[in-house]
Amino acid sequence: MFNREVYQNRRRILLEKMADKAQEGKRGIAIFTGNVEAPQNYRGNDYKFRQESSFLYYWGIDEPGFAAILDLDNGEEAIYGNDVDIDDIIWMGPQPSVQSKAEKAGVHRSAPAADFDNEVRKAVSQGRPVHFLPTSRYYNTMKVSSLLGIPAEDVRKVAPVSCGKASEELVRAIISMRLIKEPCEISEIDKACEIGYLMHTAARQGCKPGTPEQEIVGRMEGVTISRGWGVSFTTILSQHGETLHNHSHNMTITPGNLLLVDAGAESNTHYASDFTRTYPCSGRFTQRQRDIYDIVENCNELAFKLCRPGTTYRDIHIAVAKNMLEGLKSLDIVRGDVDSMAAEGIAGLFMPHGLGHNMGIDVHDMEDLGENLVGYDDDQKRSSQLGLGSLRMARRLHPGHVITDEPGIYFIPALIAKWKEDGTDKGFVNYQKLEAYNDFGGIRLEDDILITEDGARHLGPHRLPIKADDVENAMAGE
Ligand code: GLY
């Protein structure tokens, strides 16, 4: 948890932002529902607890069963939760009081959990606006639905452009704050990146012929469990890297294959890292692998070089797509004018995802609040093309943005066949050449980047080897 002043300051700014939206007396209340324990299979055996991210950001308490109200008319605030009873003490040991936890977040008033429900119902009965965020967890969805008397679907809805019945004003105010990371947050992300670096180092060291993929996953996840909270998302480690989010780890490392490792750490304060590297299972790339690897590596470097305040990440995605097409053209996989190919979205056949996403307390930061509201400026429209349309972060860059830079080239046989059948490639693709890559797999190379006043820097004290020679040298030394 940060110092109480951090949370007080955040709530003060939030109050100011919400004050712009309505006259005093008509602003209502903002409610924050922290997460409760989530059972895996029965109520005494829960998943590892993870706090709701906006609750964590404004109120800091990293424990189940808390909620908070910020009165937007008079600035009053309160934390709601229950003190432990003797049964809890028997199983969990003595715990600090709710009031002392509230004080650590700079909140002077606390009350039992049931009072939260009473306060919300009172506001509803008085006709005061009740601002809430779209919910992700089922329990909170049902709770808000029942307190406000609205259907659960309207509580959890995150529409592509705006929210259902959730408060778009509150969502926008929170996004505007959480997008720009404070120095204390950047320091935590640097720590998560260092753990991520160590995780990936363990994975690279474990990438030896004959080793089960699952064993490598275990070793790398052990690194973050022993230094931080755990993984920031389910580890992707696969020799079938052409499947973008491949969570099966049931193969054995086999020479000639590529191993794609996309994994990140979550620090004890719940800030994320997210890196991807792709390794030659034999320790050396074949020429065919290196040709594709170098294109992806070059795209990763290009994106980083282009990152600076004022440039949109959408434009950087497009510049990377063109660079990728140039590279694929040099291999005769695509043919024709690169600008025309880019305009037709041909890069989407090879990179059906966006160049990157925001990262912070969530690995895809604030995706629970709505992808377009988080990732797009009001003057930007999301593309319908495969690839560019999947871009989660398109915004004009500002100092304090934390984003991923993750170009990839994948040879997805089913997608290649479909484009061929449908003529989606508009004649730009040389299928005779391309189909020879059907057994190739995929390559993704991902770093985490902070936008600074005059450019960008890689997050974390160390950068994982990325140039093909450096990767091979690192593997040879292991
Ligand atoms: N690195 C996993 C993802 O961005 O979804």
Side-chain angles (χ1 to χ4, degrees), residues 233 236 245 262-263 274-276 357 363-364 392 404 406 444 446:
F233 57 95
I236 299 161
H245 278 183
D262 181 349
D274 181 2
F275 297 123
T276 309
H357 51 82
V363 67
H364 288 186
R392 293 187 155 98
T404 62
E406 50 177 311
R444 177 161 67 251
E446 175 178 21

Side-chain angles (χ1 to χ4, degrees), residues 232-262:
S232 53
F233 57 95
T234 306
T235 296
I236 299 161
L237 184 147
S238 174
Q239 290 163 91
H240 277 293
E242 76 279 10
T243 302
L244 302 186
H245 278 183
N246 198 337
H247 296 305
S248 70
H249 315 297
N250 54 11
M251 292 172 67
T252 297
I253 299 299
T254 305
N257 285 349
L258 291 168
L259 178 70
L260 187 151
V261 185
D262 181 349

Side-chain angles (χ1 to χ4, degrees), residues 410-445:
Y410 315 87
F411 296 94
I412 307 171
L415 185 62
I416 293 169
K418 181 156 176 43
W419 275 44
K420 187 177 181 184
E421 189 182 322
D422 297 348
T424 313
D425 67 291
K426 306 261 173 35
F428 288 113
V429 171
N430 177 5
Y431 285 103
Q432 209 182 352
K433 192 89 186 190
L434 175 59
E435 282 167 351
Y437 285 80
N438 269 350
D439 62 350
F440 185 94
I443 293 176
R444 177 161 67 251
L445 297 172

